[in-house]
Amino acid sequence: VEPSYQRSLVPRHKKIAAEFDSNALGVPLVGQRDDGSLWIVDGRQRVEALRILGKRSVRCDVFASAEIARAAAWDHYDAKRKP
């Protein structure tokens, strides 16, 4: 998780785990930095819920995320999600 671009966990991930529905999971969006490390762009609450459920892996959409482009990628994605 990239703390500078990610909100803190809220109790919602516990509710997701308690009411888990694999049909509603969707696909988390993950950026991969030049050094190979990963950061969750969208889906942190869902990933944390899966951890509570004991899952060790989840299918994600991963994109190349250069250091300078990270903020721009998140801003662009987040702007499209807002009503």
Side-chain angles (χ1 to χ4, degrees):
V1 175
E2 175 62 40
S4 59
Y5 302 109
Q6 185 63 254
R7 68 179 180 214
S8 300
L9 280 176
V10 294
R12 182 169 174 232
H13 69 283
K14 294 177 183 175
K15 181 178 182 198
I16 293 170
E19 301 172 1
F20 184 71
D21 177 359
S22 61
N23 294 317
L25 180 62
V27 180
L29 181 62
V30 175
Q32 183 174 26
R33 298 180 187 96
D34 293 336
D35 67 3
S37 62
L38 303 170
W39 62 289
I40 299 172
V41 176
D42 180 54
R44 183 174 180 203
Q45 306 294 329
R46 291 172 283 155
V47 169
E48 291 299 324
L50 289 169
R51 285 185 183 149
I52 289 171
L53 294 170
K55 305 293 183 189
R56 297 183 49 85
S57 64
V58 62
R59 186 175 67 89
C60 298
D61 285 339
V62 180
F63 68 96
S65 174
E67 292 297 314
I68 295 174
R70 286 188 311 186
W74 171 247
D75 289 343
H76 174 75
Y77 179 78
D78 196 41
K80 290 171 58 176
R81 294 180 3 157
K82 294 179 181 173

